[in-house]
Amino acid sequence: MTAQLNPCGDVAVLVPAAGAGIRLGPGAPKALRPLAGEPLLVHAVRRIAAAPSVHTIVVAAPVADVPAVRDLLAPVAPVTVVPGGAQRQDSVAAALAAVPAGPGIVLVHDAARALVPAELVESVAAAVRSGHDAVIPVLPVVDTVKEVSADEVVRGTVDRSVLRAVQTPQGFRRAVLAAAHAAAVDPLTDDAGLVEKQGVPVVCVPGSEYAMKITRPFDLALAEHLLTVRA
């Protein structure tokens, strides 16, 4: 059953999905790798579409796969699919340009975080709606972190109490994200990083263990287990 987005919603979600995903092993682009019989991208879009305030979803797909991705997502939700770029930043910019007039809040979400809860989408959007220009979901760093030299000698132990692991979706006022991309010089893999370079404060909200990033074969196996547990 195709999900219906909210025509009165104030949130657009951009999903850059043109990456190769080399660390996941050889095969299709990462967003199109199967998880429990469906591509990661399908799982991600389905969960985003379940968030009540989402008005628009724009996916930036590999150029050669745009028609196939449109067909793939048509039964899931009404999604705009555009050609992605060589870098993630290019894909986000292309997706942002395709957002229609209306939504004032823009979230950027990695397709590799395929199990993102709709509640996290809403939490990030609500924080932007409350007045913050930029919002990221984070988790505390639980491992001990060491600073090491180029030859792998420990230089010291980092205070993990001030560290956070960053997830997506990252949320922004639309004008803030647009300005950050317009001013970008060096490519970054993190949209909050672009905004930080403009001097805009970035606020943290609690993330979710389910918003884990599927990067390696082990992550894929863990995600399949989590799907089984949730079912």
Side-chain angles (χ1 to χ4, degrees):
M1 180 178 177
T2 304
Q4 299 302 310
L5 304 183
N6 182 359
C8 298
D10 59 353
V11 176
V13 184
L14 316 181
V15 186
I22 295 171
R23 286 175 291 180
L24 199 52
K30 179 161 67 170
L32 303 181
R33 302 291 181 92
L35 167 63
E38 293 183 305
L40 296 177
L41 182 58
V42 168
H43 288 278
V45 167
R46 181 180 293 125
R47 285 159 177 76
I48 292 166
S53 60
V54 173
H55 174 282
T56 299
I57 301 173
V58 183
V59 172
V63 174
D65 296 315
V66 168
V69 170
R70 285 196 183 111
D71 292 343
L72 178 70
L73 295 177
V76 182
V79 175
T80 299
V81 182
V82 300
Q87 304 289 336
R88 181 185 187 279
Q89 192 169 307
D90 300 323
S91 293
V92 174
L96 181 59
V99 175
I105 298 171
V106 176
L107 274 54
V108 184
H109 183 65
D110 294 331
R113 299 184 187 274
L115 303 187
V116 61
E119 294 80 8
L120 183 59
V121 175
E122 287 297 308
S123 174
V124 172
V128 178
R129 196 177 293 119
S130 73
H132 298 298
D133 286 334
V135 178
I136 57 175
V138 301
L139 292 176
V141 173
V142 295
D143 292 323
T144 297
V145 178
K146 299 286 186 181
E147 180 185 356
V148 301
S149 66
D151 54 353
E152 297 297 320
V153 175
V154 172
R155 288 178 171 171
T157 303
V158 180
D159 179 8
R160 69 185 180 194
S161 69
V162 297
L163 300 179
R164 298 293 183 270
V166 180
Q167 301 181 316
T168 66
Q170 298 182 352
F172 310 91
R173 280 200 307 112
R174 183 174 181 169
V176 168
L177 183 61
H181 274 271
V185 177
D186 300 321
L188 294 176
T189 58
D190 176 67
D191 292 278
L194 290 179
V195 171
E196 289 168 34
K197 284 182 174 289
Q198 301 305 303
V200 177
V202 178
V203 175
C204 300
V205 297
S208 167
E209 298 286 357
Y210 281 96
M212 59 174 283
K213 188 174 184 180
I214 299 171
T215 302
R216 304 158 299 165
F218 176 82
D219 303 325
L220 198 61
L222 177 57
E224 289 192 357
H225 172 71
L226 290 175
L227 277 174
T228 302
V229 171
R230 294 187 83 174

